[in-house]
Amino acid sequence: AVVSTQSTGDVEKTKPAPVPELPTEIPTKCVTSRIKTQVNCKVKFIDFEGRSDGESIKRILAAVLKPRQMVIVHGTPDSSRHLAEFCRDSKDMGVSQIFVPGIGETVDATSERHIYQVKLKDALVTAAKFSKANDAELAWIDAVIDVQLNADKEQVAMLEPLAKKTAHTPVFINEPRLSDVRQVLIKNGIQAEFNGGVLVCNNKVAIRRHTTGTVHVEGTVCDDYYKIRSLLYGMYAIV
């Protein structure tokens, strides 16, 4: 340490050196400069959006969705009218109502205008075979409506089973995606991979979705074929 001494006769006094004060802020300096660099790449604009074009929309509507009612929005008036005319003229769709509202226009797209409450006979409920479809249970019923008077003299519609039952073609309710089918097959020990949009299972069975929306199972008749078909049927509600 540096000290200073002061002599006063025979006595020498020592004083401590003053401690320098540290600056409260560290001095800094900002220097900016502009330089030119050469970018060794090309910049190209691609007019692409994550939406379907006109032809794709037509194919999806006619082959997959097949709506009963349509409300066409978010398009120019000419393109909206063109799509509406296509849907009306399409033989594969059978759209009952098509709305092309303008900006701020309100449309009434209610489809279930006539809803009636009916009661089922106990015998009819007992004989019905329900199949689970998502959060609902469905069953095929062959019955006739019989209108009766209750204790309050009110008309009540009752469903009574037919005296003679007739066979009907089973209805498959649900539209599982092939990717979901693949997950189910893999969980059950079946190798399933996509090849050109076709789900190939154990190199023996092929599952493909037709343009009409139906699912086709093709392959040799073997144990794998029946197991795969059974797993596929399990993803539907069959009534």
Side-chain angles (χ1 to χ4, degrees):
V2 179
V3 298
S4 63
T5 59
Q6 183 178 2
S7 177
T8 58
D10 296 337
V11 181
E12 194 175 79
K13 296 181 180 181
T14 303
K15 294 183 178 181
V19 179
E21 295 182 359
L22 297 176
T24 57
E25 295 183 359
I26 300 176
T28 58
K29 183 179 181 180
C30 180
V31 179
T32 60
S33 61
R34 294 185 179 183
I35 60 175
K36 291 184 178 180
T37 59
Q38 181 179 358
V39 180
N40 296 324
C41 67
K42 293 182 180 180
V43 179
K44 189 174 182 180
F45 174 76
I46 301 177
D47 186 9
F48 175 78
E49 291 186 77
R51 304 176 182 177
S52 301
D53 57 9
E55 292 300 324
S56 299
I57 291 177
K58 292 177 182 177
R59 286 197 298 268
I60 293 172
L61 288 173
V64 181
L65 298 180
K66 296 182 179 179
R68 298 178 181 177
Q69 290 184 329
M70 290 181 59
V71 181
I72 302 176
V73 296
H74 201 275
T76 61
D78 293 338
S79 61
S80 298
R81 284 193 295 268
H82 174 74
L83 181 60
E85 292 176 0
F86 167 79
C87 296
R88 291 191 184 98
D89 298 337
S90 176
K91 298 180 180 179
D92 299 329
M93 295 180 61
V95 184
S96 59
Q97 286 183 314
I98 300 178
F99 302 94
V100 188
I103 298 176
E105 183 181 352
T106 302
V107 298
D108 183 8
T110 304
S111 58
E112 303 296 340
R113 298 181 182 272
H114 303 286
I115 301 176
Y116 300 94
Q117 182 179 5
V118 296
K119 292 185 177 181
L120 279 70
K121 290 283 188 177
D122 293 339
L124 192 60
V125 177
T126 304
K129 296 181 180 180
F130 290 90
S131 299
K132 188 174 181 58
N134 297 328
D135 297 332
E137 292 186 355
L138 307 175
W140 182 284
I141 294 177
D142 290 321
V144 292
I145 297 179
D146 182 21
V147 180
Q148 302 176 359
L149 295 177
N150 59 11
D152 298 330
K153 304 300 181 179
E154 296 177 348
Q155 290 186 345
V156 178
M158 298 287 293
L159 278 180
E160 295 189 0
L162 292 176
K164 182 180 180 181
K165 295 183 179 180
T166 58
H168 71 277
T169 303
V171 179
F172 290 73
I173 301 174
N174 197 5
E175 292 185 0
R177 297 177 300 179
L178 291 184
S179 58
D180 297 334
V181 177
R182 177 176 178 269
Q183 295 298 327
V184 172
L185 296 177
I186 292 176
K187 289 180 180 179
N188 287 271
I190 297 175
Q191 183 181 2
E193 297 294 338
F194 283 104
N195 185 2
V198 180
L199 188 59
V200 181
C201 313
N202 284 352
N203 293 324
K204 297 179 181 179
V205 180
I207 302 176
R208 69 179 76 239
R209 185 179 295 278
H210 198 262
T211 55
T212 58
T214 58
V215 177
H216 293 200
V217 182
E218 304 171 355
T220 57
V221 179
C222 57
D223 293 339
D224 287 344
Y225 175 86
Y226 290 109
K227 181 178 180 180
I228 293 169
R229 189 183 68 172
S230 177
L231 292 173
L232 180 62
Y233 282 2
M235 302 182 69
Y236 289 89
I238 305 176
V239 296

